[in-house]
Amino acid sequence: MSVVKVTFEGEVRRGRMEEVTYEAVVKVVNELVPVQGLVLRYVDEDGDVCMLTEQTFDDFVDQCKGGSLRVTAAGQRGRRDRVCPGKIWRHLRGEVTPEVIAELMVTHAEGAAVMVERKAWKLDRAAWWWPEKVRPVIAVVVESLRDIPEMTTCRARLEHVLDEDLAGLGQAVSDVAREFVVQPVEVQKRVAEALSVHLVPLIDRLRGGRRVVCDRCDERIWGGRMK
């Protein structure tokens, strides 16, 4: 599996792909960078900034010399096909049930996995500052995965994190999220349903928190970070 590092507005974002092709690079960058009119550039062996196209892709791969594929992305910020937080709120209006939460987990699995990988360091920070709050959550996840053999390896990673005082939590959760994405839909549903039973109380608490309105659809959503 190859690593793609995308520089966008001074921030480096990291993604993965199975096959090194131009189409695969564009797909990964589109998932990581929310822009319209995407333009990709790379630096060649002479230090010149070159446009990345199908015609220059072989040269681009040669510059990487077996390491990470590094590109710079540019474009205009826009809506694209991102999920609107307000639509999620409308979906959850009324009673929040485990079935609804499970459906959202399966529907948005790929986007969530990318976000978790980018923000793994924040999970490590949370584990450092609030271990008494994080530990019970991870313990619930471990217990929820106990009867799902397809997730045995992931459960073992989380159990190891618990044994090591939450060290390496961010990477472990990122691994679980990636493993969840590649599972068949039937397995994803079983995992989501097992977890969602424990997520409903958390969602209810979030809904009772700060009132924030979506910039795009004017629906009330949860918390400033969601906005």
Side-chain angles (χ1 to χ4, degrees):
M1 183 174 290
S2 300
V3 175
V4 180
K5 293 186 177 180
V6 185
T7 301
F8 177 66
E9 296 184 347
E11 179 181 288
V12 178
R13 306 182 182 187
R14 187 172 180 269
R16 295 175 181 271
M17 59 184 182
E18 296 288 345
E19 186 179 1
V20 181
T21 64
Y22 175 75
E23 292 75 16
V25 170
V26 172
K27 179 181 178 181
V28 170
V29 175
N30 269 313
E31 293 173 349
L32 297 175
V33 179
V35 298
Q36 294 176 329
L38 180 66
V39 176
L40 299 178
R41 297 182 176 87
Y42 67 98
V43 178
D44 68 10
E45 59 186 358
D46 297 321
D48 296 324
V49 179
C50 304
M51 188 83 71
L52 178 58
T53 65
E54 292 187 52
Q55 290 71 33
T56 62
F57 185 74
D58 289 340
D59 178 64
F60 162 67
V61 173
D62 289 340
Q63 308 304 318
C64 299
K65 297 179 180 178
S68 300
L69 305 175
R70 296 177 177 270
V71 297
T72 299
Q76 181 180 359
R77 286 186 177 271
R79 297 186 178 184
R80 298 176 67 232
D81 294 326
R82 291 176 294 166
V83 176
C84 178
K87 291 182 180 179
I88 297 177
W89 173 256
R90 285 196 297 274
H91 195 62
L92 294 178
R93 180 175 289 164
E95 183 181 2
V96 179
T97 66
E99 292 75 20
V100 170
I101 302 302
E103 179 183 344
L104 288 173
M105 290 177 64
V106 173
T107 302
H108 305 295
E110 292 188 12
V114 172
M115 181 186 69
V116 169
E117 186 169 11
R118 293 208 314 262
K119 304 296 184 180
W121 64 274
K122 288 193 174 182
L123 292 174
D124 290 329
R125 187 172 66 177
W128 173 263
W129 285 105
W130 305 290
E132 71 284 353
K133 295 182 180 180
V134 174
R135 178 176 288 276
V137 175
I138 302 304
V140 164
V141 174
V142 169
E143 186 61 31
S144 299
L145 298 178
R146 192 168 301 282
D147 296 327
I148 303 177
E150 293 85 353
M151 302 295 287
T152 298
T153 301
C154 293
R155 189 183 72 247
R157 290 172 186 161
L158 293 177
E159 288 176 334
H160 179 73
V161 167
L162 289 174
D163 292 338
E164 296 295 325
D165 293 328
L166 301 180
L169 175 65
Q171 184 60 54
V173 174
S174 179
D175 291 343
V176 171
R178 287 199 302 269
E179 184 65 25
F180 179 79
V181 169
V182 301
Q183 293 295 330
V185 175
E186 294 76 14
V187 176
Q188 289 184 354
K189 288 181 178 179
R190 286 164 50 207
V191 173
E193 289 168 0
L195 291 174
S196 62
V197 173
H198 304 285
L199 289 176
V200 168
L202 173 61
I203 296 298
D204 284 336
R205 289 200 297 271
L206 288 173
R207 291 178 66 180
R210 295 167 52 192
R211 293 190 174 186
V212 180
V213 177
C214 177
D215 291 330
R216 291 168 52 193
C217 69
D218 296 324
E219 289 286 344
R220 187 164 68 89
I221 56 178
W222 322 300
R225 293 301 295 173
M226 188 78 170
K227 181 171 180 178

